[in-house]
């Protein structure tokens, strides 16, 4: 589990294709102290640390991860947002982020507004039910507030701190990003869809079908 508050911008050092793609990433987070098997979000995708040495660590990406995220395009020199997993007792400064990327989107528009930077992204149809104005979204692992929602697009606004501490400000129109919809929104949408189905109503069976309970 993550918060969407980026802790470092890492740099991809090596990408080794194979049955599992190995990715070495350099970071200032103290990689030598990482525990083998711990989770780390790389541009919003939850991956596992399998090796570390010096100021770098290695993760492995399965074919499904490469298909469903932007990591398939990672190359030496690529800059990636990093966040270590949330520890019990940590402050939840962003929102609950699982690290399970729902879709890949792309930048449609960028523009300055005051000291902030407005970015407009394509909204995949399957994710639209989880988006509301002033709701939460994780873009490349960054916890952001949805400013506006349209039929096929949504916008966010980056404050100077976010522009400085993440890779998002440098994304140009047409570049791809990882999206994760709000976790609570997903469960609410699922419950509503079940309630509106045949024989609708909020029963014990409906709640279990939505993933709650044993």
């Amino acid at each position: 589990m993550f918060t969407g508050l980026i802790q470092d911008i890492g740099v991809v050092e090596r990408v080794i294709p194979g049955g599992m793609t190995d990715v070495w990433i350099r970071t200032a987070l103290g990689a030598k102290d990482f525990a083998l098997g711990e989770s780390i979000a790389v541009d919003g995708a939850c991956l596992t640390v399998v090796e570390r040495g010096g100021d770098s660590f290695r993760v492995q990406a399965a074919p499904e991860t490469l298909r469903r995220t932007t990591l398939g395009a990672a190359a030496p020199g690529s800059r990636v947002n990093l966040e270590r997993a949330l520890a019990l007792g940590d402050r939840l400064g962003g929102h609950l982020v699982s690290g399970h990327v729902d879709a890949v989107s792309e930048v449609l528009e960028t523009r300055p507004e005051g000291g902030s930077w407005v970015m407009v992204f394509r909204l995949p149809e399957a994710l639209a039910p989880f988006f509301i104005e002033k709701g939460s979204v994780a873009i490349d692992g960054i916890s952001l507030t949805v400013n506006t929602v349209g039929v096929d697009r949504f916008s966010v606004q980056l404050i100077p701190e976010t522009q400085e501490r993440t890779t998002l400000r440098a994304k140009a129109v047409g570049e791809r990003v990882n999206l994760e919809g709000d976790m609570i929104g997903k469960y609410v949408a699922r419950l509503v869809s079940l309630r509106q189905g045949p024989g609708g109503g909020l029963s014990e069976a409906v709640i279990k079908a939505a993933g709650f309970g044993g």
Side-chain angles (χ1 to χ4, degrees):
M1 190 67 67
F2 306 92
T3 68
L5 300 183
I6 303 305
Q7 297 170 325
D8 185 37
I9 297 177
V11 178
V12 175
E13 293 186 316
R14 284 183 286 163
V15 178
I16 307 169
M20 295 288 288
T21 295
D22 291 313
V23 183
W24 279 93
I25 301 171
R26 185 173 70 253
T27 178
L29 290 178
K32 64 181 176 59
D33 297 322
F34 286 5
L36 295 181
E38 78 166 79
S39 295
I40 188 165
V42 180
D43 271 353
C46 179
L47 299 174
T48 301
V49 175
V50 297
E51 189 177 350
R52 72 274 198 259
D55 59 356
S56 301
F57 66 97
R58 177 169 64 94
V59 294
Q60 292 184 313
E64 174 72 357
T65 301
L66 300 180
R67 285 192 296 266
R68 298 290 293 267
T69 75
T70 60
L71 291 175
S78 297
R79 299 165 73 242
V80 290
N81 297 314
L82 299 177
E83 182 189 355
R84 297 180 72 180
L86 179 68
L88 289 177
D90 284 354
R91 290 187 177 90
L92 185 60
H95 73 282
L96 291 175
V97 177
S98 68
H100 300 158
V101 175
D102 292 311
V104 172
S105 180
E106 65 269 351
V107 182
L108 298 179
E109 179 187 341
T110 64
R111 66 178 186 273
E113 185 174 45
S116 70
W117 188 250
V118 176
M119 302 189 74
V120 181
F121 298 89
R122 178 179 63 84
L123 177 57
E125 183 178 356
L127 292 188
F130 313 136
F131 279 67
I132 60 170
E133 289 191 5
K134 308 313 173 189
S136 297
V137 62
I139 304 176
D140 277 352
I142 308 160
S143 175
L144 293 164
T145 299
V146 177
N147 273 10
T148 62
V149 182
V151 174
D152 61 354
R153 63 193 59 206
F154 71 95
S155 71
V156 299
Q157 204 158 20
L158 310 185
I159 64 172
E161 179 77 2
T162 306
Q163 296 177 47
E164 178 69 23
R165 292 185 175 273
T166 75
T167 63
L168 201 52
R169 171 64 174 80
K171 296 283 185 180
V173 171
E175 290 198 66
R176 301 161 73 239
V177 295
N178 295 318
L179 292 186
E180 181 184 329
D182 181 55
M183 186 184 302
I184 296 174
K186 293 176 189 177
Y187 280 110
V188 171
R190 174 68 171 157
L191 282 170
V192 169
S193 68
L194 289 169
R195 189 171 186 178
Q196 292 175 342
L202 196 60
S203 64
E204 182 179 356
V206 167
I207 293 173
K208 287 185 176 179
F212 296 96

